[in-house]
Amino acid sequence: MEKCQRISKQHQEEKEPSHKHALFLCADIVLPWLYPSELASISSTCKTLYGISKSITTVRCSDAARNFEKLPIPFFNSIDHQPYAFFMYTPRQIPAYLLVRQQWGSLRSSPAIRARGTSNSSCRHSRLINEDVEYGCGCDCSTVCGTEVEDEEFRCPCSALRSYEVMAECGPSCRCGLECGNRLTQRGVSVRLKIIKDLKKGWGLYADQLIHQGQFVCEYAGEVLTTTEARRRQQLYDEQASSGRFSSALLVVREHLPSGKACLRMNIDATRVGNVARFINHSCDGGNLSTMLVRCSGALLPRLCFFASRDIPENEELSFSYGDTRLRPKGLECFCGSSDCFGVLPSELT
């Protein structure tokens, strides 16, 4: 009888590690898809899930970009107990409501595999926004793009479309690839950045290396909305902001057409789905970033891109001017700290 009990106990001890391993595998598949509140709830159910949840939080803190970018962009917070800001990441413009959940924080997968699960879908959706039309325009060159060529006959036709306000790059209908010199802004973030929480301003984007004047930093990516949807969301965001500490990331971009008689309006909302540009704060003195509209040959819509307006030293916060208009009667308080600060953030009637 004692021998049977010993054998039974031994079998139970052997099964326990396998049960824990199975739980770990299942949890690593499911938990990275959860929102922070859901992750916190499930972490309180048992010791194993608590440990896995804590590890997922550590992974999330280490890279806001979820391996979509070449370099990790970590969170740092010495202000409160919020380890990271939760949002869904897209490196490009996407149509509204395409992303409902996104995996973030898997422990087993390599960085390449973790990125592959979501980046492909985001890239596919971005092509719906900037898909080239059949027989769309584009260059046939593959070697001289983006290089200084004196003879206009041999110069890339895409670069000839540049103006003071709009920068032109090769696009989806061109034969050249991402290594092309005239696709500077299409390779994602290539400078080291970090996200730090400030007591007054909240999360902000900072340089984690010296960024030279004129260097490309990032584009403003998010959901592209109709004007009707943008107005509906802005009204909702205003209500949420008045009842607590909430800041939206809905940006209205206007491109003045060559005729001068009309302008193209584009609404980009990075509040729920966006990239690291959503963390760039306003500065009343114009900040250290300049904005440029970039048009790609064959693409339907331009992209808003940020460049360093001067040399930016490591650990300096990145900022730009949200605009000069302040139409809303109850504007949000500005904490930019510049000598030119108006005290209220720019706003307009969306």
Side-chain angles (χ1 to χ4, degrees):
M1 186 67 178
E2 290 180 7
K3 188 176 181 181
C4 289
Q5 288 176 342
R6 283 199 305 271
I7 293 171
S8 177
K9 189 177 180 181
Q10 186 178 349
H11 280 309
Q12 286 177 353
E13 289 174 352
E14 288 174 356
K15 283 181 181 178
E16 196 171 321
S18 63
H19 287 161
K20 283 186 178 180
H21 181 66
L23 178 61
F24 175 84
L25 293 178
C26 291
D28 190 52
I29 293 171
V30 176
L31 267 58
W33 292 90
L34 300 184
Y35 292 109
S37 58
E38 298 169 333
L39 194 63
S41 296
I42 205 167
S43 68
S44 61
T45 56
C46 75
K47 205 174 193 179
T48 303
L49 290 177
Y50 173 79
I52 296 171
S53 300
K54 196 171 181 180
S55 299
I56 288 173
T57 298
T58 302
V59 173
R60 290 181 174 184
C61 290
S62 68
D63 186 15
R66 301 154 174 77
N67 296 108
F68 280 113
E69 309 293 356
K70 297 175 185 176
L71 301 168
I73 304 171
F75 289 96
F76 295 97
N77 182 6
S78 59
I79 304 299
D80 54 35
H81 298 294
Q82 184 187 15
Y84 58 89
F86 185 83
F87 66 105
M88 281 169 282
Y89 201 94
T90 177
R92 300 175 182 86
Q93 299 168 0
I94 65 169
Y97 297 110
L98 276 182
L99 280 178
V100 179
R101 285 186 185 268
Q102 186 180 60
Q103 187 191 52
W104 187 16
S106 177
L107 307 176
R108 278 189 309 126
S109 305
S110 67
I113 295 173
R114 287 203 300 270
R116 196 182 306 146
T118 45
S119 62
N120 286 343
S121 61
S122 286
C123 291
R124 183 170 63 252
H125 297 327
S126 71
R127 285 199 292 272
L128 295 174
I129 290 291
N130 277 329
E131 193 166 14
D132 51 321
V133 204
E134 190 177 6
Y135 312 114
C137 61
C139 67
D140 292 326
C141 48
S142 58
T143 55
V144 298
C145 291
T147 58
E148 296 297 328
V149 180
E150 292 185 6
D151 194 338
E152 289 190 12
E153 184 180 349
F154 298 101
R155 191 176 298 168
C156 174
C158 297
S159 60
L161 301 172
R162 295 184 181 183
S163 67
Y164 176 74
E165 293 183 344
V166 181
M167 179 177 168
E169 290 188 342
C170 295
S173 51
C174 298
R175 290 181 59 189
C176 53
L178 275 179
E179 69 283 353
C180 168
N182 197 34
R183 292 181 183 267
L184 172 67
T185 67
Q186 299 173 44
R187 304 185 195 113
V189 178
S190 56
V191 294
R192 291 196 174 276
L193 304 171
K194 56 188 175 183
I195 302 162
I196 301 176
K197 193 162 193 181
D198 179 80
L199 182 61
K200 292 182 177 179
K201 290 187 283 188
W203 296 104
L205 190 64
Y206 288 71
D208 204 20
Q209 67 168 71
L210 170 65
I211 303 175
H212 295 285
Q213 182 177 3
Q215 195 168 357
F216 170 66
V217 177
C218 62
E219 72 169 275
Y220 198 91
E223 297 177 284
V224 178
L225 311 178
T226 63
T227 299
T228 302
E229 175 64 12
R231 286 172 177 161
R232 187 193 71 80
R233 288 195 186 186
Q234 190 59 64
Q235 186 177 1
L236 179 65
Y237 295 156
D238 288 343
E239 291 172 2
Q240 292 175 322
S242 63
S243 60
R245 293 198 60 149
F246 174 83
S247 180
S248 68
L250 201 167
L251 197 66
V252 178
V253 181
R254 292 180 175 86
E255 178 189 11
H256 295 279
L257 301 180
S259 65
K261 298 179 181 179
C263 72
L264 173 69
R265 171 179 169 143
M266 189 168 59
N267 311 290
I268 310 172
D269 189 4
T271 306
R272 193 180 65 91
V273 183
N275 69 342
V276 292
R278 70 192 296 278
F279 295 106
I280 303 176
N281 286 315
H282 164 78
S283 183
C284 293
D285 65 1
N288 49 23
L289 296 178
S290 59
T291 57
M292 175 70 72
L293 284 176
V294 178
R295 269 202 173 276
C296 299
S297 297
L300 296 176
L301 297 175
R303 294 155 45 242
L304 182 68
C305 295
F306 296 95
F307 295 82
S309 57
R310 57 171 173 79
D311 285 350
I312 304 172
E314 185 178 351
N315 297 322
E316 182 172 306
E317 184 180 6
L318 305 182
S319 59
F320 77 107
S321 173
Y322 289 3
D324 300 318
T325 308
R326 289 167 174 81
L327 295 180
R328 289 183 202 152
K330 295 180 180 179
L332 296 174
E333 189 175 357
C334 178
F335 298 105
C336 72
S338 70
S339 56
D340 302 322
C341 184
F342 286 90
V344 179
L345 287 174
S347 61
E348 61 178 78
L349 301 175
T350 308

